Amino acid sequence: MRATTIRALSLQDVFAQLAGATNNTTPYDPNTVINSLAADSETANIAAASETWTSSHTTDYPLNLIQDAGPSAYWRLDDPASSTTVYDSSPFNNTMIPRVPLTVSGGVTFQTAGAMPGSKGATFNGSTGYLTASTATPLSFVTNLTLEAWVKTSSLAAAQTIVDKGGTAGEFGLTINTDGSVALSFDAGSGGGSNLIDANASDIETSAAGWSAGSNTTIVQSTAQAHTGTHALKMTGTATGAMFAFTNARYSVTAGTSYTASAWFYCASPGRSVYLDIDWYNSSGTYISSATSTTYTLTPGVWTQVSFNATAVAGAASVVYSLSPTANTAGDVFYADTITLTALGGSSNLTLIPAGGITTGAWHHVAVTRTGTGTSGGTATGYLDGVQKNTATWSGSVVVSANAVRVGATAGTAGKFFNGVLDEIVIYQRALSATQIAKRVTWAQAADCTSSAYGTGTYGFTAYPLPGAPTDYTYGSAATWGGNNAFFWG
């Protein structure tokens, strides 16, 4: 409640400010009008026996923040306890943008306390529970995209899916990894997809035999740290200066094809950096040239993903892959794991929220945006609790798939089940701004924010009338005037 002491204004004074609103496309907020009048020095004649105006303002999360932004799909997850269908509360329902309900499978429990006052979410049991869309057509996006959700994990023992349109030719997916990072995955076009680095050299589960030590370096298989499985490649500096380890095998590539090189690194010492290097060789085994990633400074004691894209040069037939710590001193220890080289065109993963971002037992707002030009290339950005985190770019094309969207597990063969509570899952066919995303957290935590029930059976979204305005004008997600419908997108 906000209280302002001014001279007594009649309702006619206030509503007079709204004259001519019938054809106005900008909605008025009554509180703005009242506050504006209160600040007017000519009308603010405060008497000893003054009167007090009290105005109340409430932000309804689904209406003011989500509906107004024009989502393509909006699953509130506030459905009744016995629901077998989850309703889509997006404001559209036509042949171009139909609503997309979800079918309930396995261990999903509704009416769990949600992320904000008044909201309800759904609990997923981490082993069998998920929701599947009846159709994929309205959600087949190749360019701009925003995915957002409120998440509360019960465990990070395994990677888990928030929302996915994946499978053999997936379009997008949002995954929480075991280190608390969040990755956006997407299909980048036709071709490849499998890791060219053999399994042992990638995950070091059998031995370190797939790698050789370069200058100032010793290597060994170790169980002291691991990003996946139980082992990692331990690299120890023998002297100050550049370190590196390289693959014993050369892996086949095709000239002109773009590849993504990726590896996860861990170092407990502060201020240490790493980069990746791939060396192109021709069919005779002669070195041609190299491509290197940006040098990344590691966060001490946290697994960090380093990746980059490179196109195989003319004449390239194979590649040697190197892991290159820098800014080291004698005795420094680095661990490397989950090392991949994939042709762009297979499934790619961009870590947009860094390790440690998601913590168990706490509500977090997760949002990622993707922008692109046509169907080729683009930029992706991650936001955690309203704060911008990592940004990544890629080359190659994003494809449209026929796979259905799934919430709480991977599309196609269900896996990576979500373990915890989800609330307010939203998909947009555009990239929301940083300001819009930040408001979701700021307003959700405000004392005057509420979350009324939407979408259980009626797919309802409401528009509320502006007091005193012409009867054909309403303020909110949908407005009508002169017999026409309009949507306000914020």
Side-chain angles (χ1 to χ4, degrees):
M1 304 292 285
R2 304 185 179 100
T4 307
T5 302
I6 60 175
R7 77 171 177 83
L9 300 176
S10 69
L11 287 177
Q12 284 182 319
D13 293 326
V14 175
F15 297 151
Q17 305 298 313
L18 305 177
T22 302
N23 295 311
N24 198 323
T25 59
T26 303
Y28 285 89
D29 183 341
N31 296 316
T32 301
V33 177
I34 292 171
N35 292 339
S36 176
L37 289 173
D40 189 333
S41 60
E42 293 182 4
T43 60
N45 182 15
I46 308 301
S50 61
E51 293 155 329
T52 299
W53 273 79
T54 301
S55 64
S56 63
H57 172 75
T58 299
T59 296
D60 190 292
Y61 187 92
L63 179 65
N64 299 113
L65 294 175
I66 309 301
Q67 300 281 10
D68 283 359
S72 297
Y74 179 23
W75 301 299
R76 306 257 357 254
L77 305 185
D78 61 350
D79 303 81
S82 59
S83 294
T84 58
T85 300
V86 169
Y87 293 100
D88 175 4
S89 294
S90 57
F92 310 108
N93 189 22
N94 53 52
T95 56
M96 292 182 64
I97 312 178
R99 293 195 177 103
V100 184
L102 302 173
T103 301
V104 180
S105 298
V108 181
T109 304
F110 295 98
Q111 295 295 302
T112 304
M116 67 206 69
S119 72
K120 299 293 183 181
T123 299
F124 294 73
N125 68 357
S127 58
T128 63
Y130 60 89
L131 313 170
T132 304
S134 58
T135 175
T137 304
L139 304 177
S140 295
F141 305 147
V142 297
T143 53
N144 297 346
L145 169 74
T146 300
L147 307 173
E148 68 162 307
W150 287 87
V151 305
K152 183 180 181 181
T153 57
S154 297
S155 171
L156 289 175
Q160 50 199 293
T161 300
I162 299 174
V163 60
D164 184 52
K165 192 174 185 297
T168 58
E171 188 178 355
F172 56 76
L174 197 57
T175 303
I176 301 174
N177 298 310
T178 57
D179 60 359
S181 64
V182 179
L184 172 66
S185 60
F186 62 95
D187 188 291
S190 60
S194 60
N195 185 13
L196 302 182
I197 308 295
D198 66 79
N200 183 49
S202 172
D203 294 325
I204 332 294
E205 291 302 296
T206 302
S207 69
W211 295 88
S212 292
S215 60
N216 304 321
T217 313
T218 61
I219 61 172
V220 67
Q221 183 194 40
S222 174
T223 58
Q225 296 290 338
H227 178 255
T228 55
T230 58
H231 297 77
L233 182 69
K234 180 180 178 181
M235 307 169 63
T236 304
T238 58
T240 300
M243 296 170 55
F244 70 97
F246 59 94
T247 57
N248 288 326
R250 287 203 298 267
Y251 298 96
S252 296
V253 295
T254 302
T257 298
S258 293
Y259 294 87
T260 297
S262 175
W264 289 80
F265 289 92
Y266 179 101
C267 181
S269 302
R272 303 305 190 256
S273 302
V274 296
Y275 66 90
L276 300 177
D277 177 279
I278 50 180
D279 299 327
W280 309 110
Y281 288 80
N282 65 19
S283 58
S284 299
T286 301
Y287 167 82
I288 302 174
S289 62
S290 297
T292 60
S293 73
T294 300
T295 299
Y296 292 76
T297 299
L298 302 179
T299 300
V302 175
W303 279 99
T304 301
Q305 185 183 29
V306 175
S307 63
F308 79 112
N309 297 337
T311 300
V313 298
S318 64
V319 64
V320 170
Y321 194 128
S322 297
L323 312 171
S324 303
T326 184
N328 64 287
T329 60
D332 275 354
V333 175
F334 294 81
Y335 296 89
D337 200 359
T338 319
I339 303 150
T340 61
L341 181 68
T342 57
L344 264 176
S347 180
S348 298
N349 289 281
L350 304 174
T351 301
L352 299 180
I353 294 174
I358 303 299
T359 55
T360 58
W363 279 108
H364 293 284
H365 183 262
V366 171
V368 299
T369 63
R370 186 188 72 192
T371 60
T373 303
T375 60
S376 180
T379 300
T381 304
Y383 300 83
L384 177 66
D385 298 329
V387 178
Q388 183 173 328
K389 298 297 183 180
N390 296 349
T391 296
T393 61
W394 72 91
S395 59
S397 60
V398 178
V399 301
V400 173
S401 77
N403 295 313
V405 171
R406 186 166 283 168
V407 172
T410 52
T413 302
K416 294 185 179 179
F417 295 94
F418 188 83
N419 188 352
V421 187
L422 292 173
D423 194 9
E424 311 285 344
I425 309 288
V426 198
I427 300 175
Y428 307 84
Q429 193 176 1
R430 63 195 184 105
L432 297 182
S433 69
T435 299
Q436 287 174 305
I437 292 171
K439 280 182 178 179
R440 280 148 172 70
V441 178
T442 301
W443 289 18
Q445 295 172 345
D448 62 357
C449 183
T450 188
S451 181
S452 61
Y454 281 77
T456 52
T458 63
Y459 297 102
F461 83 103
T462 64
Y464 48 90
L466 179 63
T471 56
D472 62 349
Y473 186 88
T474 54
Y475 169 70
S477 290
T480 61
W481 67 96
N484 297 318
N485 292 326
F487 292 96
F488 297 112
W489 286 10

